Amino acid sequence: MNTRLLRTARQLVLPVVVSGLLSACFPYAAPYVHVEADQATPVLEFCRISGPQVGLSYERQGARIEVSIEPGALRRSKAAYVAVRLARGREVSVQGNATVQAADGTPLASVALQRTTEPLATRRPGSRPMPLPPGADQFEEIRFELRGMPAVGAPGVLLLPPITIDGVETSLPPIRFERRHYAGVAPVNC
């Protein structure tokens, strides 16, 4: 009787422990590039609900503009980027280069913005397509990768050129950045 009870207990406990681990959090510590700017909404690293502030979001002319200097923090991209999410069929362009300055205002680099198009929903080869929320196919995302962005060591400022949406220019405020260390907990199942 005891061996059968022990087997039954193992069969019940294992799924409970595994599901608990998958919905749990784990300790996490790492360096990251903290960004901040006036009129911006912070974008957090883990599931966009917790973790360090690694990106900024703006609402301009019916479009959402997202900026991240930390490669790989919010996307699998290995480049810093500016992404514009807007209704399909609208026009977006950027003229000129971004400028990276030291905290004291000394110019450090001119950074080219190279346009790339990235689908909103990506999938792995051989997997089923992800279900999209209603109306998601009405939007597209246009990304401009910051080519030539120097590695972030000391604090600095990123000045982006104006972004033109349907012929109307919009400027983003200077983006201050610095490398910081984060220690906290991260969700396992993001």
Side-chain angles (χ1 to χ4, degrees), residues 100-113:
V100 177
Q101 297 178 342
D104 65 3
T106 306
L108 298 176
S110 178
V111 179
L113 279 81

Side-chain angles (χ1 to χ4, degrees), residues 43-89:
V43 180
L44 306 178
E45 184 174 26
F46 304 116
C47 303
R48 298 177 184 249
I49 58 169
S50 67
Q53 179 176 320
V54 294
L56 300 172
S57 177
Y58 302 89
E59 298 289 332
R60 298 283 199 279
Q61 300 174 15
R64 170 168 280 154
I65 302 169
E66 183 179 275
V67 180
S68 181
I69 297 174
E70 180 77 73
L74 296 173
R75 299 167 187 255
R76 292 182 180 166
S77 172
K78 299 300 180 204
Y81 68 88
V82 175
V84 182
R85 185 177 192 265
L86 68 169
R88 198 170 291 284

Side-chain angles (χ1 to χ4, degrees), residues 28-41:
Y28 176 78
Y32 73 102
V33 176
H34 177 83
V35 290
E36 62 185 21
D38 297 334
Q39 308 164 7
T41 303

